[in-house]
Amino acid sequence: YNPLFIYGGVGLGKTHLMHAVGNKLLAENPRLRILYVTSEKFTNDYIAAIQQKKIDDFKKLYRQVDMLLVDDIQFIAGKEQTQEEFFHTFNELRDKGKQILLTADRLPKDIPAIEQRLVSRFEWGMVADIGAPDFETRVAILKTKLQKKGVHLEDEVINYIAENVINNIRELEGALNKILIYKQIENNNLPIDKVKELLINIINNKKKNVSVRKIAECVATFYSITMEDLIKQSRKKEFVKPRQTAMYLIRKELETSYPSIGDFFGGRDHTTVMHGVEKVEKAVKVQDEIKQELELILEKIYG
């Protein structure tokens, strides 16, 4: 599949997977020319090449490889000249049969301010989603890491971590490391109460008891509308603002995926949710009234 486009949230392993692919291929064939860069480095290299009049050197660096891996490609959004150069680099590599691997935090079509011709090329090969791990996977990850470290923890402790640290693998590993450091220093078994105490700053107990529905209900109550009005397909102004506010808060407070939020709100497309969230984000920056409303709603949610 060329290109392979991997997308997912922060801390789910996109960069790790990208490095693993490159390292695996190099181990099999050390003569392969594999280049890994972030989109920021690609942009900076391109700017430097223009300033120093070394554009040919830039093209030689990026277009004479067997595999190009670009991390966080979404950050070329809005950079017209960089997009133009990447477009030609992409075409030349693919025409030569060279592999391209890209990562981003969202689908190609959801990256704002990016040329449509790039979006279509990103979708030529395979677009793969890395989702947050479910409970069973989180338990498996923890047990694998413990096995590699040669350390034993009770199942009750492992399950507690897996049940409460749910956003991404990076946080999961951070929680485990904190417990293992304490265990090493104290040199004794950890009762579950001590584990809870150690992780109290990592696990936000307020958010633990907050659900998508609770946020939606608090928003509906604040704007004096019913849950039915909030969720149904009506486009009346008095319902659209509360709905977008609820979408924004669910995304911000719970980091729920756009598709999941869309499902809750009557099966709406994830792009509709993304638009609503972005609209509120912009409003918060320029309208103090919206900011105050959100603070009042949050007090109801966590009060």
Side-chain angles (χ1 to χ4, degrees):
Y1 302 97
N2 200 15
L4 174 58
F5 189 101
I6 301 171
Y7 75 99
V10 175
L12 295 178
K14 300 186 299 297
T15 302
H16 180 82
L17 183 58
M18 182 176 266
H19 282 294
V21 170
N23 290 332
K24 173 70 173 175
L25 292 175
L26 272 180
E28 293 176 352
N29 185 355
R31 290 188 294 182
L32 283 176
R33 294 165 299 177
I34 299 177
L35 178 61
Y36 165 85
V37 293
T38 62
S39 63
E40 182 182 16
K41 178 163 174 40
F42 181 91
T43 301
N44 291 339
D45 285 354
Y46 179 58
I47 293 170
I50 294 173
Q51 292 172 338
Q52 298 166 18
K53 298 182 179 179
K54 292 182 177 180
I55 199 67
D56 288 339
D57 291 343
F58 174 87
K59 290 178 180 179
K60 186 177 179 181
L61 171 65
Y62 281 95
R63 300 186 189 184
Q64 294 185 9
V65 296
D66 297 303
M67 185 177 198
L68 177 63
L69 306 99
V70 184
D71 212 356
D72 288 325
I73 194 66
Q74 74 270 10
F75 290 126
I76 68 170
K79 301 179 177 74
E80 293 181 9
Q81 282 188 285
T82 302
Q83 289 184 44
E84 178 76 20
E85 182 58 35
F86 188 76
F87 174 78
H88 295 299
T89 298
F90 182 102
N91 286 344
E92 187 166 328
L93 287 174
R94 198 170 185 276
D95 289 345
K96 291 177 179 177
K98 306 304 182 182
Q99 181 67 45
I100 303 162
L101 177 55
L102 310 168
T103 70
D105 63 354
R106 63 191 74 185
L107 283 163
K109 64 181 181 180
D110 293 335
I111 300 173
I114 195 165
E115 293 180 12
Q116 188 57 43
R117 59 181 178 169
L118 276 176
V119 172
S120 66
R121 278 159 177 76
F122 293 167
E123 294 175 340
W124 274 353
M126 174 186 280
V127 178
D129 174 19
I130 297 184
D134 57 21
F135 172 75
E136 289 79 9
T137 305
R138 295 196 296 272
V139 169
I141 290 168
L142 290 170
K143 288 187 174 181
T144 299
K145 290 188 177 296
L146 286 168
Q147 187 177 17
K148 286 182 178 179
K149 294 175 185 289
V151 179
H152 173 76
L153 285 180
E154 298 296 328
D155 284 345
E156 184 183 20
V157 172
I158 295 171
N159 290 340
Y160 178 79
I161 301 170
E163 285 170 356
N164 292 280
V165 185
I166 61 176
N167 289 335
N168 60 59
I169 299 165
R170 199 174 296 159
E171 288 183 6
L172 193 68
E173 189 168 9
L176 180 63
N177 287 339
K178 186 169 186 177
I179 288 170
L180 293 183
I181 289 169
Y182 180 86
K183 181 178 173 67
Q184 184 179 9
I185 293 172
E186 295 298 319
N187 196 27
N188 60 11
N189 290 325
L190 282 169
I192 193 65
D193 288 343
K194 186 62 185 178
V195 172
K196 291 179 180 178
E197 181 186 327
L198 289 170
L199 298 185
I200 195 166
N201 291 326
I202 295 176
I203 300 167
N204 189 325
N205 285 318
K206 282 186 175 180
K207 292 183 181 180
K208 232 175 89 176
N209 298 319
V210 172
S211 64
V212 170
R213 175 160 287 277
K214 182 175 180 179
I215 290 176
E217 288 173 346
C218 287
V219 170
T221 300
F222 182 83
Y223 289 108
S224 302
I225 63 174
T226 66
M227 278 292 289
E228 183 182 354
D229 292 331
L230 191 72
I231 293 173
K232 69 183 182 182
Q233 299 292 334
S234 173
R235 293 187 179 182
K236 290 183 179 179
K237 188 177 180 181
E238 60 264 36
F239 301 145
V240 171
K241 181 187 173 182
R243 188 180 301 126
Q244 290 177 338
T245 301
M247 290 175 175
Y248 167 81
L249 288 172
I250 291 166
R251 176 68 178 174
K252 182 174 177 286
E253 298 301 310
L254 303 179
E255 297 184 348
T256 306
S257 70
Y258 292 116
S260 295
I261 297 172
D263 288 342
F264 179 80
F265 285 93
R268 281 177 168 79
D269 187 81
H270 73 280
T271 56
T272 302
V273 178
M274 188 175 291
H275 169 74
V277 171
E278 289 175 353
K279 188 172 181 180
V280 177
E281 282 177 344
K282 290 175 183 176
V284 169
K285 294 175 183 177
V286 295
Q287 298 180 37
D288 287 338
E289 182 183 345
I290 297 295
K291 195 172 181 181
Q292 290 168 3
E293 287 179 3
L294 290 175
E295 288 173 355
L296 290 170
I297 294 168
L298 286 171
E299 286 180 10
K300 289 180 176 292
I301 292 169
Y302 294 120

